[in-house]
Structure formats: C-alpha cells, structure tokens
C-alpha cells in the first residue's frame, strides 16, 4: 500500500501507538531511511524507520510555514521541475491513491487532516495538516476530535470547512472508491466491505452519516466516533483520502482527471497516460502548511520512461534534464556501477531503505492444491529476482511475509531462501509428484517493463526446472495494477508488493490475507479466504496492547505462509535514485519510500 522498488507499490505504512492513561506513545518500528544515503558512496543510509525516529507532533509543530530546506539560501522562486516516471498514474483522485508514485505526487496538490513532517535528519513527526494538531482522543480512544486551521482555502479561494472534510470521508463509501486505504470508513461503519451499507451511494444522494458516527458541529470541527478504540488514528488520518473535497467540484469517477487542490499546486493540464502539469495554486497559504513549499513554478510530469531511459538522462545531465528528477524511478540495475563510479553523481543520488516487501502472489482461487502452491514457493528464485532488480542496491532477500521493520518481527525462513536463494527445484518436483500434478501449467503474468521482462525469464526458467509448464502473459504496465487487483483475473502467479501503513502487522496481515477483504481493487491479491485465518485476525485485532499482539501477528503470518501459501516473499526493497544537477531540496520521504517533492527547487 506501495516505494520504489521496481514498480511503484501498493503501500500501507507507519507507526504504532499505545493508549495508556490517555497518552499516546509511539511504540513500534519500521524500515526506511533519511535523505542523502547517510553520506556513503554506496549502500543504503541509516535505517530511520524505527520507533525512536517517530513521534506525535505538537500544535506548534503543526503550524506553518514549513521549515527551510537544506540549502535554502540558494533556493529561488520559479523554474520548472521535470519529472520522469515509468508508469502512468492510475489515479489523481486522493480517495483512490495507495501507490507510492501517486502518494508522492498528491503531496503537491492534496492535504489531509494530518500528515508527516520529515526533518533534515529524516526524523518523522505526525502533525496537523488541515488540522491544528494530530487530534484529541476521548472515550478511551473511540472518539477523535480535529479542529481545522484558519485560512485554509481551495484553489478557487473558497474556505475549506468541516463540511468539505465530511464530504471527503463520506465519498469513500461510494461503490467506485475501491483502490484507496479504508481504515477510517471501516473503523466508523463496518469491517471488510460491510461499511458501504451505512451509506451505499456515498453523500451523492443527499444522505449523510449520522452525527453519532461522523459529526461536524461547526465549520471548524470534525469528530469521529469509532466502533472500537484506535490509538493510531493520527496515522490513519494522514492517508491522502482523509481530506477536503468540495462537493460542487466532485465529479465522482471523473474526479481522477481534475482533483480540486488544497495544496501549493493544482492541475494545469492532464493527458491521462501521457503527461501531467502541476502549476502554482495562488490561494494556498504557506502560513497554514507545516510541510510543503512552493519554490518551483510548475512540475512537468511525463510517463513511459523506462529506468534505463531516465538513468541515462540523469547521468548525461544536459539541458532540461539538469532540472529533472523522478518520484520513484530507480537507477537501472545494469547502470548501477556506472552511476556509482561517476564522481559528479555523489551529491545528487541516494540509496535508501524502503518500507516495502516484494512478493510473488499465487491465485488460490485458480491454484486450489496447496501442494502445488508450496512447490511454487520452493521453486521461486528469490536471489535471481533480486539480482535483476539491482542486487544490493535493490534490496535484501526476504524470508517471510513481514518486513524486519515490523514490531515483533522474527527472521523465520520456512522455505529456506537464505540457504537456497536460487530456489529448491528438487523439493518442488517432489511436492508436484506427491500432488500428481507433474507438468502443471502455470499462467505467469508480468508487466512489460524492461526489468520485469528480465525477471520473467529467471522465474520461468526456475519453474520449468521444478517441473512446471509456464505460460508467460505480458501485461501493459499502465494497466497492470488494475489487472492484478481484479478478483476474476486469469493469472496464476504475479508480482505484488506491500508496505505497512504503520509498523504494526495489523496493517499488513489483514489487508493481504483476510478473506473478507476480497473485492476488485483490494489487496488480498492471492484471494485467500480461510475461516481460521479470518478468526485469528479478529482475535489478534482485539488485543489492545500492540506489543502483546506483535508476536501473534508473526505467528499468524508464518502459519499463512506455510499452511495456506497464498504467495511467497522475494525481497525487502531499497531505492537507488538520481536527479539533475540544477535541482536542490531533493530528499527522501521515509514514509512513502520515494523522493519527497515538497521542498524541491531549481538552483
């Protein structure tokens, strides 16, 4: 829920809090890093995604304007930032955004109730964005109150009110809003997709949630009444879809083409699948914003740039490419040594640890024999997959479903990936023989990017060595993310990715493996629906202390991996990226695992 590793991931993400004596305390950790690669010429910077690096900000921390970025003395107003992206954005509608590249992009035009303030050392505070602070809890953590700041305006100069935030939340109940995170509506109204019953058409028919669920008693106040306590609410309200949407400008599905801005930039021109231009929003007030700057005049974003293309352009550093970057394109793996060896790149690159885990998902609704799925898991060549993704600059071989960032993580390795990173074809063949499925045909789908085409070769070869017949299915990268999220997709095996929204495994195991979450656009990519797993999810979710729950999530994740086998983890991600020499203020966003565009300026 997203990163970038080799294509922008779904993501979920960040920090845990325990409600004790009315106080919020950060109590978890995660993976990620701070800008600049820790000053190293290669290798990732320090992993800053740990509990000591995250905190809840104060009202003062939530006050604008944003602190000056490093090198701000040379920052000047004006200029164009060029952004080279491989994959077209599936959504601009903040309600639908859950991939890392789009998460980075929406920071420029969209504000949420709370958000993440990252300092020069990579330390992260959850602060009020539209709200004056990170929220106030009562009723044991079931009720959360947010007060909006003065001076908030949409791009047309009209005031942002609590009514607009209510509309932004209530539209998530509409049937077309399927791709974004759903914590807040689910906490308000029901698990899985049941929450939609509370407001089947969203607010579009003139109906609203009752004040006992979502209350806006005046223009400045938003009050959530959850069914259960949620101490981590400030993190859930930092999701891009918990913000303000002006009802008169809400065009439902067409909102993807022209979201109405509350941030420093607004949509100037958008050609879906080709390009996006963001221009200054003159009605954005920096005094209200503790996070964003408005240095550049515009961001010119174009799509279709393979990693080799963008890397060559950044390396050459000519003409307009001197003011170019990418939110999520990584250095092409085959060009890693050249980038590291070129002296002038040291000040304009970083390698950072990301919060994401790459998986190969198995479609359990098509692959119904668990022995076949186990055979696939043993056969998968994790090490070779990682090598095609950049080796050490691309990540680290993964051994279980949970990231080392997660609270309670244990380095279990049930399929022996550390010992046999190229896979175990003999064990896979044995399992296929026991199942009577020797020669089983597998439809392996992959996006038609340069890297994933190479990955498809090593995976197909590994599966064939294990006794499978492989039918490779190439899919347009621009429609890939939608294709694999369809419940009725025609694929058996496909690459997916996930990162925790905050480093408790309740933001990983339920969205990926709870059978009640299965729906088009959801993240249960393997379509696992095991009643025992669903019941265990409910049991662990009911444990009020996240420290006590943490090892239980690890046990459940390992049980799912070894007994249900809806997929296999392949590697934990890193981002190695490069940009043009005439840009300043380029930093790493450890929460999103991308370049942070909010402080970028043209020198």
């Amino acid at each position: 829920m997203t990163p970038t590793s080799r294509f922008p991931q779904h993501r979920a993400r960040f920090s845990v809090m325990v409600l004790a004596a009315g106080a919020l305390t950060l109590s978890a950790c995660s993976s990620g890093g701070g800008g600049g690669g820790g000053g190293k010429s290669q290798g990732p910077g320090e992993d800053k995604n740990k509990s000591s690096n995250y905190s809840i900000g104060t009202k003062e921390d939530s006050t604008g304007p944003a602190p000056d970025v490093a090198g701000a003395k040379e920052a000047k107003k004006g200029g164009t930032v060029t952004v080279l992206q491989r994959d077209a954005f599936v959504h601009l509608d903040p309600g639908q955004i859950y991939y890392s590249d789009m998460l980075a992009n929406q920071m420029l035009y969209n504000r949420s109730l709370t958000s993440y303030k990252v300092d020069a050392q990579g330390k992260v505070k959850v602060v009020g964005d539209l709200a004056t602070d990170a929220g106030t809890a009562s009723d044991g953590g079931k009720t959360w109150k947010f007060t909006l700041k003065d001076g908030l305006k949409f791009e047309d100069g009209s005031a942002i009110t609590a009514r607009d935030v209510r509309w932004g939340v209530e539209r998530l109940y509409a049937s077309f809003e399927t791709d974004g995170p759903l914590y807040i509506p689910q906490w308000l109204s029901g698990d899985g997709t049941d929450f939609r019953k509370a407001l089947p058409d969203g607010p579009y028919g003139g109906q609203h949630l009752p004040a006992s669920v979502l209350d806006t008693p005046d223009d400045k106040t938003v009050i959530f009444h959850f069914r259960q306590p949620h101490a981590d609410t400030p993190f859930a309200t930092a999701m891009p879809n918990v913000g303000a949407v002006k009802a008169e400008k809400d065009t439902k599905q067409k909102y993807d083409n022209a979201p109405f801005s509350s941030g420093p930039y607004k949509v100037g021109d958008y050609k879906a699948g080709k390009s996006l231009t963001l221009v200054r929003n003159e009605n954005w007030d920096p005094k209200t914003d503790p996070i964003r700057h408005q240095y550049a005049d515009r961001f010119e974003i174009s799509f279709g740039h393979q990693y080799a293309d963008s890397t060559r352009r950044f390396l050459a550093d000519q003409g307009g490419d001197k003011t170019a970057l990418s939110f999520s394109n990584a250095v092409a793996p085959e060009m890693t040594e050249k980038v590291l060896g070129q002296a002038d790149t040291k000040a304009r690159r970083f390698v950072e640890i990301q919060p994401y885990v790459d998986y190969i998902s198995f479609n359990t609704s098509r692959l119904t024999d668990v022995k076949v799925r186990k055979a696939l898991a043993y056969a998968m060549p994790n090490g070779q997959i990682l090598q095609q993704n950049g080796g050490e600059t691309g990540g680290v071989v993964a051994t279980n479903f949970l990231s080392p960032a997660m609270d309670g993580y244990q380095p279990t390795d049930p399929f022996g990936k550390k010992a046999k990173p190229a896979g175990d074809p003999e064990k896979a063949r044995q399992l296929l023989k026991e199942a009577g499925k020797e020669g089983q045909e597998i439809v392996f789908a992959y996006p038609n990017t340069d890297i994933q085409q190479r990955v498809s070769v090593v995976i197909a070869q590994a599966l064939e060595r294990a006794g499978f017949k492989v039918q490779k299915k190439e899919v347009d990268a621009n429609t890939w993310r939608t294709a694999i999220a369809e419940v009725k997709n025609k694929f058996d095996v496909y690459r997916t990715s996930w990162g925790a929204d905050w480093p408790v495994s309740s933001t990983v195991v339920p969205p990926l493996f709870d059978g009640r979450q299965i729906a088009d656009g959801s993240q249960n990519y393997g379509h696992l629906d095991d009643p025992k797993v669903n019941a265990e999810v409910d049991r662990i979710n009911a444990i009020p202390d996240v420290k006590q729950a943490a090892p239980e999530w690890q046990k459940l994740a390992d049980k799912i991996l070894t007994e249900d086998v809806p997929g296999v983890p392949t590697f934990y991600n890193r981002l190695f990226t490069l940009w043009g020499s005439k840009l300043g203020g380029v930093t790493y966003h450890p929460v999103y695992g991308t370049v942070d565009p909010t402080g970028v300026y043209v020198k």
Side-chain angles (χ1 to χ4, degrees):
M1 279 226 110
T2 220
T4 140
S5 65
R6 310 311 98 178
F7 78 82
Q9 288 98 326
H10 248 309
R11 38 116 31 217
R13 278 230 49 148
F14 253 58
S15 252
V16 188
M17 299 182 298
V18 176
L19 196 64
L24 289 172
T25 306
L26 193 71
S27 62
C29 55
S30 192
S31 69
K40 300 177 182 178
S41 61
Q42 60 183 348
E46 179 187 357
D47 184 351
K48 294 184 173 65
N49 287 320
K50 50 193 177 186
S51 61
S52 60
N53 202 50
Y54 288 80
S55 62
I56 300 295
T58 63
K59 188 171 184 177
E60 183 179 3
D61 293 323
S62 306
T63 302
D68 288 341
V69 298
K73 289 182 180 179
E74 64 178 344
K76 64 178 186 292
K77 291 281 188 179
T80 296
V81 177
T82 301
V83 182
L84 307 180
Q85 291 293 123
R86 185 180 66 188
D87 303 317
F89 296 153
V90 179
H91 298 294
L92 299 186
D93 177 356
Q96 297 275 51
I97 289 175
Y98 217 176
Y99 279 93
S100 63
D101 51 353
M102 290 174 271
L103 285 163
N105 182 58
Q106 62 84 33
M107 283 193 284
L108 295 170
Y109 63 83
N110 176 59
R111 299 177 65 179
S112 42
L113 272 180
T114 57
S115 194
Y116 299 101
K117 187 174 185 177
V118 185
D119 71 14
Q121 288 72 46
K123 290 187 177 295
V124 180
K125 287 182 179 179
V126 182
V127 299
D129 189 355
L130 294 174
T132 57
D133 56 28
T136 302
S138 60
D139 191 22
K142 292 172 67 175
T143 297
W144 281 83
K145 177 182 176 181
F146 295 87
T147 302
L148 300 188
K149 295 172 180 174
D150 296 329
L152 299 170
K153 294 179 181 179
F154 285 112
E155 65 178 75
D156 64 350
S158 58
I160 294 174
T161 69
R163 179 178 70 102
D164 302 310
V165 175
R166 183 184 68 187
W167 188 275
V169 172
E170 289 181 338
R171 70 192 300 272
L172 303 179
Y173 287 70
S175 59
F176 66 86
E177 289 282 336
T178 58
D179 286 4
L182 296 172
Y183 294 106
I184 294 298
Q186 288 173 340
W187 293 354
L188 290 171
S189 303
D191 297 326
T193 58
D194 287 347
F195 75 91
R196 297 191 192 278
K197 298 174 184 176
L199 200 64
D201 298 318
Y204 300 107
Q207 301 297 311
H208 295 285
L209 295 170
S212 59
V213 175
L214 175 57
D215 194 12
T216 51
D218 55 53
D219 284 349
K220 293 285 185 170
T221 307
V222 178
I223 304 173
F224 297 108
H225 297 282
F226 299 128
R227 297 175 299 134
Q228 302 294 333
H230 289 285
D232 42 2
T233 293
F235 295 87
T237 54
M239 295 299 185
N241 58 359
V242 188
V245 175
K246 190 171 183 176
E248 294 80 1
K249 298 294 182 178
D250 186 354
T251 52
K252 298 184 179 180
Q253 289 95 324
K254 292 181 180 179
Y255 200 64
D256 257 334
N257 297 322
F260 209 55
S261 175
S262 55
Y265 295 88
K266 61 184 178 181
V267 175
D269 181 67
Y270 180 46
K271 295 180 176 65
K274 295 181 180 179
S275 64
L276 168 67
T277 300
L278 298 176
V279 299
R280 286 180 181 275
N281 172 13
E282 300 299 342
N283 284 301
W284 168 78
D285 185 351
K287 294 193 297 292
T288 70
D289 197 327
I291 297 161
R292 302 164 186 82
H293 296 274
Q294 195 188 52
Y295 292 122
D297 286 335
R298 58 206 292 123
F299 284 77
E300 295 279 3
I301 304 163
S302 57
F303 309 113
H305 301 280
Q306 297 292 333
Y307 290 0
D309 170 31
S310 56
T311 304
R312 276 193 296 269
R313 290 176 62 172
F314 295 142
L315 265 176
D317 198 35
Q318 298 294 313
D321 290 337
K322 290 184 177 182
T323 58
L325 55 76
S326 180
F327 298 151
S328 54
N329 273 25
V331 166
E334 67 273 21
M335 301 176 77
T336 294
E337 293 305 317
K338 187 173 183 179
V339 172
L340 292 174
Q342 189 165 314
D344 75 329
T345 68
K346 286 187 177 181
R348 54 189 185 96
R349 72 184 192 225
F350 59 60
V351 181
E352 297 293 351
I353 301 167
Q354 294 180 296
Y356 300 101
V357 183
D358 260 50
Y359 307 98
I360 298 294
S361 288
F362 307 150
N363 189 339
T364 62
S365 57
R366 287 170 56 93
L367 299 172
T368 57
D369 191 322
V370 71
K371 282 193 175 181
V372 171
R373 302 199 297 270
K374 284 184 178 180
L376 286 166
Y378 276 109
M380 207 56 63
N382 288 32
Q384 292 169 298
I385 294 170
L386 174 59
Q387 195 59 40
Q388 296 303 321
N389 282 278
E392 290 185 3
T393 59
V396 177
V397 167
T399 60
N400 65 55
F401 280 139
L402 300 183
S403 162
M406 306 312 297
D407 203 23
Y409 167 81
Q410 293 294 322
T412 56
D413 187 7
F415 290 106
K417 294 302 179 183
K418 289 287 188 180
K420 296 185 176 181
D424 189 342
E426 292 78 16
K427 179 67 174 178
R429 279 185 175 275
Q430 177 189 335
L431 286 164
L432 277 183
K433 185 175 182 180
E434 291 174 6
K437 299 288 179 66
E438 294 168 288
Q440 166 93 41
E441 184 170 87
I442 296 296
V443 179
F444 170 56
Y446 60 96
N448 63 345
T449 66
D450 48 3
I451 293 173
Q452 292 304 319
Q453 285 171 337
R454 294 197 294 270
V455 169
S456 74
V457 173
V458 299
I459 289 180
Q461 290 174 343
L463 296 187
E464 287 165 356
R465 285 195 299 270
F468 291 98
K469 292 181 180 178
V470 181
Q471 178 187 341
K472 291 167 63 178
K473 179 69 173 176
E474 186 174 290
V475 179
D476 187 334
N478 288 328
T479 60
W480 168 257
R481 293 178 279 197
T482 301
I484 61 171
E486 290 180 358
V487 175
K488 298 293 186 181
N489 76 60
K490 305 296 184 183
F491 316 136
D492 296 319
V493 174
Y494 33 93
R495 182 259 182 177
T496 57
S497 182
W498 191 255
D501 284 316
W502 45 91
V504 264
S505 298
S506 60
T507 67
V508 176
V509 177
L512 292 183
F513 305 119
D514 187 335
R516 295 160 294 187
Q517 304 278 6
I518 296 173
D520 285 346
S522 78
Q523 292 77 52
N524 187 334
Y525 295 112
H527 310 148
L528 179 66
D529 190 7
D530 181 339
K532 293 181 180 178
V533 170
N534 299 346
E536 191 68 353
V537 164
D538 289 343
R539 182 188 73 81
I540 302 172
N541 263 331
I543 298 173
D545 186 333
V546 295
K547 289 294 186 183
Q548 289 183 6
E552 298 300 303
W553 286 121
Q554 178 74 64
K555 291 175 188 175
L556 178 57
D558 283 347
K559 185 175 185 295
I560 293 168
L561 177 58
T562 56
E563 297 182 13
D564 293 289
V565 204
V568 63
T570 52
F571 65 95
Y572 308 123
N573 296 176
R574 291 172 178 165
L575 175 63
F576 180 26
T577 196
L578 184 67
W579 57 90
S581 63
K582 293 298 183 182
L583 289 181
V586 182
T587 58
Y588 178 67
H589 199 291
V591 183
Y592 293 159
T594 64
V595 164
D596 184 343
T598 58
V600 174
Y601 59 86
V602 177
K603 295 179 182 178

